[in-house]
Amino acid sequence: MARAAVPGGLRARRAWRRARLVDRRQETSSAATLVLEVDGWDGHLAGQHVDVRLTAADGYQASRSYSIAAPADGSRVELTVQVVPGGEVSPFLVKDLVVDAELEVRGPLGGWFVWRPDDPGPVLLVAGGSGVVPLMAMIRARAGASRAPFRLVYSVRTPADRIYADELARRVREDQGLDVTYVHTRLAPDGAPRPAARITADDLAAHGWPADFEPTCYVCGPTPFVEAVAGLLVAQGHAPERIRTERFGGTA
C-alpha cells in the first residue's frame, strides 16, 4: 500500500541542516526537552524522528536518532532526550549543551509510525519510559484538531520518571476523549491500586481498547518492552497490521 507524502522533499530530508538550541525544559532528573531552531524546516508529522549530529573541535562526529516531541512551530523542533548511562551523545545533550550552541539535524524521517489528525480513531498508545516522546507528539497534534478517542498506557519505573507528567494531567482534564494510565514497574505511588510490576495483558485489557473496536495501536519503548506488548496485543485479538511499533536500544 502506498504511503502518503510527508512534509519536505526526499532530498531535503536527507540533507544535514544547521540547528541552534534556543530553549530547554527539564522534564525529569534525567530527561530534558531541547527546543531547536532549524534552518529551512518546513514541518513534520507526529511520530517522526530526526538524526542529530555533533561535531567535536577535532572533527570527530557522532550521530543519534531522536523522536520529535511536538508538532512543528515554524522553524522549531522539540526533542525530548533521556540520558542513557554510559552514552556518548545523550548525556551531552541533556547536561552540557548550552543555549545558542549549534548542531546538525537531518529529517524528518519515518512515514509508518505516524498519526494524522484526519486518521479515524480510536487510538491506543503504549509507552515504555522515554518511548512516550513520539506518542506525546500525537497527543499534542490531536488537541483541537481531532476528536478521535485516545488511550495512553504509560509504563515507567517510578512516579519520578514520568515525562510530561504535569502536561498529561492537564490534557486529561482539558482534552475530551484522552485517557492516561500509568503502570509502575519498580515503585508505585502510595495508595495505588496496582502494585509495581511489569505491564501485563490485564493492564492492556483494562485500560486499552477491545480488539473488536479495531484501534490503531502505537507501541514505543525499549526493544524487549515493544516485543512483549505487541505480543500481548496480538494474543488479545488485535490485528498485526494495526499495531505499529518503534523501538530503541544500544548506545545513545
Side-chain angles (χ1 to χ4, degrees):
M1 181 175 65
R3 296 178 182 174
V6 295
L10 181 60
R11 181 176 298 178
R13 296 198 304 272
R14 288 180 173 176
W16 289 102
R17 310 171 192 235
R18 185 182 68 88
R20 181 173 63 91
L21 181 68
V22 296
D23 194 14
R24 69 164 60 240
R25 298 190 301 272
Q26 200 69 31
E27 303 288 354
T28 70
S29 62
S30 62
T33 293
L34 311 178
V35 182
L36 304 174
E37 192 169 79
V38 183
D39 286 350
W41 191 259
D42 58 359
H44 62 273
L45 299 174
Q48 289 188 296
H49 63 278
V50 295
D51 292 336
V52 173
R53 184 167 70 181
L54 302 173
T55 303
D58 63 1
Y60 174 75
Q61 293 183 322
S63 62
R64 299 290 186 271
S65 295
Y66 294 103
S67 295
I68 303 172
D73 179 14
S75 63
R76 294 189 174 186
V77 172
E78 295 188 10
L79 309 177
T80 300
V81 180
Q82 185 164 42
V83 172
V84 175
E88 183 179 37
V89 175
S90 62
F92 176 80
L93 292 177
V94 174
K95 300 177 180 179
D96 299 322
L97 190 70
V98 297
V99 171
D100 286 333
E102 293 188 355
L103 42 75
E104 295 173 286
V105 301
R106 178 171 59 189
L109 304 171
W112 170 244
F113 194 81
V114 299
W115 179 81
R116 299 168 174 82
D118 58 355
D119 287 351
V123 173
L124 173 61
L125 310 172
V126 187
S130 60
V132 75
V133 176
L135 309 186
M136 190 63 181
M138 298 176 191
I139 290 171
R140 288 166 167 166
R142 172 187 179 274
S146 170
R147 299 184 66 180
F150 270 38
R151 291 183 177 177
L152 168 65
V153 181
Y154 184 9
S155 175
V156 292
R157 293 180 178 180
T158 74
D161 295 310
R162 299 176 178 180
I163 300 174
Y164 315 125
D166 291 342
E167 182 179 351
L168 282 171
R170 175 178 61 79
R171 289 192 179 278
V172 168
R173 294 192 303 268
E174 299 177 358
D175 295 357
Q176 186 176 5
L178 170 65
D179 294 315
V180 176
T181 300
Y182 291 98
V183 172
H184 299 90
T185 62
R186 294 195 179 178
L187 177 65
D190 292 339
R194 179 193 187 278
R198 292 184 178 180
I199 195 167
T200 67
D202 289 342
D203 295 317
L204 296 174
H207 306 294
W209 296 104
D212 57 5
F213 281 33
E214 298 186 341
T216 302
C217 305
Y218 296 86
V219 185
C220 186
T223 295
F225 173 87
V226 170
E227 292 179 348
V229 170
L232 292 173
L233 291 172
V234 170
Q236 290 178 349
H238 292 272
E241 62 270 19
R242 300 192 70 86
I243 302 172
R244 303 185 181 191
T245 61
E246 185 95 323
R247 62 199 73 198
F248 55 81
T251 57

